[in-house]
């Protein structure tokens, strides 16, 4: 069974630039959630994708957007990067069936630094 | 953003000692989960709790889902050096009003240091 993978592992961007982060879900999972983890904090929910649509969003501005593909993998896009966007971005996959949702398993994260 | 109240923030213990940490919230949660995160890595799921009052063990780890659904604790018995890391509690809440998919709300973590 393949676990959750993320790419790249780390990257450095300049304020105002755009970035795309990628996530491959664990085998058998159909739901992907994205979280932002600032240094010394717990992860904060950004949004979730299920059936290739955004299925709920946390308190993040529209410049944070995403996609989910037919193979359940996902992308997180951030436009107009700000210094405060520097964080570890975590992807978590899970299985959803109807009204039932199961445990979320995390990838290793992408460390984004904005200068 | 909303977070759970997790305590203590940090713990320094001797190898072999038992450890206890807890999480509280003013809101109820559907489930409670405990994760461990090592530096530079993603959180790893340790225990998931589904019912109020549930007590679950995973090796040396024991966790309970509070009766009020507003709290949970994690105990680690006979700590070893590899227990070092940051432990997070997380509660789940429905992402949409239709239910189904859920998001995780995290505490700020408990940093555990184990002295050999």
């Amino acid at each position: 069974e393949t676990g959750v993978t993320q790419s790249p592992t780390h990257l450095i961007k300049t304020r105002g630039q755009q970035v795309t982060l990628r996530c491959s879900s664990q085998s058998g999972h159909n739901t992907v959630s994205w979280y932002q983890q600032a240094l010394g904090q717990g992860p904060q929910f950004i949004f979730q994708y299920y059936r290739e649509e955004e299925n709920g969003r946390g308190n993040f501005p529209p410049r944070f957007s995403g996609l989910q593909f037919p193979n359940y993998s996902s992308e997180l896009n951030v436009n107009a990067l700000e210094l405060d966007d520097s964080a570890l971005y975590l992807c978590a996959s899970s299985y959803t069936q109807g009204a039932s949702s199961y445990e979320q398993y995390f990838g290793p994260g992408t460390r984004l630094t904005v200068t | 953003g909303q977070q759970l109240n997790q305590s203590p923030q940090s713990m320094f213990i001797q190898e072999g000692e038992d450890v206890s940490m807890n999480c509280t919230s003013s809101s109820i949660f559907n489930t409670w989960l405990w994760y461990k995160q090592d530096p530079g890595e993603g959180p790893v799921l340790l225990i998931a709790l589904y019912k109020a009052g549930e007590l679950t063990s995973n090796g040396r780890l024991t966790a309970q889902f509070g009766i009020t659904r507003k709290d949970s604790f994690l105990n680690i018995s006979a700590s070893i050096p590899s227990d070092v890391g940051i432990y997070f509690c997380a509660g789940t809440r429905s992402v949409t009003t239709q239910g189904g998919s859920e998001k995780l709300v995290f505490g700020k973590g408990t940093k555990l240091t184990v002295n050999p």
Side-chain angles (χ1 to χ4, degrees):
Chain A
E1 184 176 277
T2 305
V4 181
T5 61
Q6 292 186 243
S7 64
T9 54
H10 58 271
L11 72 166
I12 300 173
K13 290 286 189 178
T14 303
R15 189 170 50 184
Q17 286 188 317
Q18 177 266 344
V19 69
T20 297
L21 310 181
R22 295 178 176 82
C23 170
S24 292
S25 60
Q26 183 170 312
S27 176
H29 287 182
N30 58 10
T31 303
V32 173
S33 303
W34 286 92
Y35 294 82
Q36 180 195 66
Q37 186 177 24
L39 205 59
Q41 301 293 317
Q44 296 285 323
F45 175 73
I46 303 175
F47 45 52
Q48 184 179 92
Y49 276 83
Y50 173 56
R51 293 181 175 176
E52 301 179 44
E53 293 184 350
E54 187 179 291
N55 189 45
R57 189 179 188 92
N59 189 26
F60 282 82
R63 58 189 185 84
F64 285 77
S65 63
L67 287 171
Q68 186 181 34
F69 300 98
N71 67 353
Y72 308 120
S73 66
S74 177
E75 287 183 353
L76 164 65
N77 299 293
V78 187
N79 294 323
L81 284 167
E82 301 176 359
L83 296 179
D84 285 348
D85 294 334
S86 296
L88 180 68
Y89 287 85
L90 295 163
C91 163
S93 77
S94 57
Y95 178 70
T96 300
Q97 182 177 26
S100 298
S101 182
Y102 300 88
E103 301 92 351
Q104 294 187 19
Y105 293 86
F106 284 84
T110 294
R111 172 70 63 186
L112 172 65
T113 301
V114 182
T115 62
Chain B
Q2 177 185 10
Q3 287 192 321
L4 303 174
N5 301 312
Q6 187 171 349
S7 63
Q9 287 187 330
S10 61
M11 302 182 73
F12 297 84
I13 63 171
Q14 294 297 125
E15 182 176 358
E17 289 184 352
D18 296 343
V19 172
S20 183
M21 59 191 78
N22 67 79
C23 240
T24 60
S25 173
S26 58
S27 306
I28 64 172
F29 286 93
N30 299 330
T31 60
W32 283 87
L33 304 98
W34 286 90
Y35 289 86
K36 178 176 182 278
Q37 186 174 29
D38 292 328
E41 299 184 11
V44 174
L45 180 63
L46 299 174
I47 290 181
L49 302 157
Y50 301 99
K51 297 180 182 178
E54 178 182 355
L55 184 69
T56 297
S57 293
N58 178 11
R60 294 179 295 107
L61 277 60
T62 301
Q64 184 160 29
F65 191 153
I67 290 290
T68 64
R69 296 172 64 190
K70 294 182 180 180
D71 62 300
S72 177
F73 73 74
L74 174 70
N75 289 340
I76 305 173
S77 63
S79 58
I80 58 178
S82 62
D83 290 334
V84 166
I86 301 178
Y87 291 78
F88 288 99
C89 63
T92 65
R93 182 163 289 146
S94 293
V95 169
T96 66
T97 55
Q98 289 77 29
S101 295
E102 296 186 316
K103 67 175 182 180
L104 294 170
V105 178
F106 282 85
K108 290 190 175 183
T110 294
K111 185 177 181 180
L112 178 64
T113 302
V114 179
N115 296 316

